[in-house]
Amino acid sequence: MSDTSLPPIIAVDHVFKSVTDSTGTLDILRDIDFRLAPRETVAIVGASGSGKSTLLSIIAGLDTPTRGTVVLGGQDLFALDEDARAALRAQKIGFVFQSFQLMGNLTALENVMLPLELAGQRDARARAADMLLRVGLGQRLGHYPKLLSGGEQQRVALARAFVVQPAVLLADEPTGSLDYATGETIMELMFALNREQGTTLVLVTHDRAIAQRCQRRITIEAGHIANNE
Ligand SMILES: Nc1ncnc2c1ncn2[C@@H]1O[C@H](COP(=O)(O)OP(=O)(O)OP(=O)(O)O)[C@@H](O)[C@H]1O
Ligand SMILES: [Mg+2]
């Protein structure tokens, strides 16, 4: 359950994003404004091209807004310099990209160990192996990403995001390339993180069952919040 009496873990305040090229200016996000309480679960839904991935990247501090602010755990993300922002991200956020973004020169195990090592945590190898076991990849530890199927790569990306036990998990279509049964397992894992560790979940999804399981659904239409309930 979320705790709305606490200060928000994420506050997105009047965020706009525009990009300009030779053909003109494109407004990708327009006045996005919402707050999430610690432990809250929210689905971001909307048509392809509506701005969901852009919004997730801005919440993670991987992309910058043209206007507006994002406050993560009380810190104004874009008031920090890049190093401080990266450190805050490493400390608080697990991110699952729509395109997985695994390191091609590292094995599955090494990919999952990486965030633990960057955070200077002990037992990286054992913890990473355990997490890969939980996503059903215990037999693929030494595989490089190019030898893994799309769904397997997605599960490595999920394990990498989960392994640091982040305060916030941002996931862009986390079950998009998975079969029904594997998708169910991953969904269970995400909601178990939420229950057991209080992880706030922000899930971009086209999957109705996942959206319904979240406490709230934010619908984006052409870069604007059309619905938030
Ligand atoms: N750097 C950029 N330069 C120009 N246009 C961009 C840039 N990034 C995103 N866009 C455009 O902004 C719109 C929103 O993109 P975004 O990836 O956020 O959509 P999405 O809602 O995640 O879509 P999907 O469901 O297909 O993943 C798209 O029309 C995209 O082409
Ligand atoms: Mg997207």
Side-chain angles (χ1 to χ4, degrees):
M1 281 290 103
S2 63
D3 192 342
T4 45
S5 64
L6 294 173
I9 180 81
I10 298 170
V12 177
D13 203 23
H14 298 291
V15 160
F16 290 72
K17 175 74 179 180
S18 306
V19 290
T20 303
D21 66 13
S22 55
T23 61
T25 297
L26 176 67
D27 296 320
I28 302 177
L29 296 176
R30 296 179 293 130
D31 204 13
I32 300 283
D33 198 84
F34 65 89
R35 272 146 236 358
L36 295 180
R39 311 182 82 92
E40 202 167 1
T41 58
V42 64
I44 311 257
V45 299
S48 176
S50 56
K52 305 178 301 294
S53 293
T54 306
L55 174 60
L56 218 58
S57 294
I58 290 175
I59 296 173
L62 293 164
D63 194 357
T64 51
T66 309
R67 248 194 304 149
T69 58
V70 175
V71 177
L72 175 66
Q75 299 240 45
D76 181 345
L77 265 187
F78 300 103
L80 302 172
D81 66 30
E82 268 189 41
D83 286 349
R85 192 152 65 233
L88 182 63
R89 180 164 60 238
Q91 193 197 336
K92 294 217 184 297
I93 290 185
F95 198 100
V96 181
F97 294 90
Q98 198 167 7
S99 52
F100 318 144
Q101 307 245 12
L102 299 175
M103 309 286 278
N105 58 338
L106 300 180
T107 64
L109 182 63
E110 289 162 351
N111 264 284
V112 180
M113 287 168 64
L114 194 59
L116 292 170
E117 288 175 333
L118 289 175
Q121 297 197 17
R122 299 194 308 161
D123 303 330
R125 183 169 295 272
R127 285 173 59 191
D130 179 58
M131 195 47 85
L132 282 164
L133 206 65
R134 286 189 73 181
V135 299
L137 290 178
Q139 305 301 315
R140 297 287 186 279
L141 303 187
H143 276 53
Y144 288 91
K146 68 173 191 296
L147 300 176
L148 296 169
S149 72
E152 288 171 343
Q153 289 180 47
Q154 185 160 37
R155 283 183 279 157
V156 175
L158 286 155
R160 182 180 59 182
F162 294 153
V163 79
V164 290
Q165 306 186 338
V168 178
L169 178 71
L170 304 172
D172 202 343
E173 301 199 29
T175 60
S177 349
L178 303 178
D179 61 87
Y180 179 78
T182 311
E184 283 288 302
T185 309
I186 294 301
M187 187 156 96
E188 282 307 322
L189 204 54
M190 290 189 297
F191 284 92
L193 267 187
N194 169 254
R195 275 193 314 274
E196 293 160 20
Q197 290 165 28
T199 308
T200 302
L201 301 181
V202 184
L203 310 176
V204 170
T205 186
H206 291 290
D207 183 323
R208 282 222 181 134
I210 296 185
Q212 284 309 320
R213 247 183 106 161
C214 291
Q215 288 160 330
R216 205 150 37 113
R217 281 146 294 282
I218 295 178
T219 307
I220 314 278
E221 268 176 31
H224 195 69
I225 295 184
N227 210 341
N228 179 356
E229 59 186 21

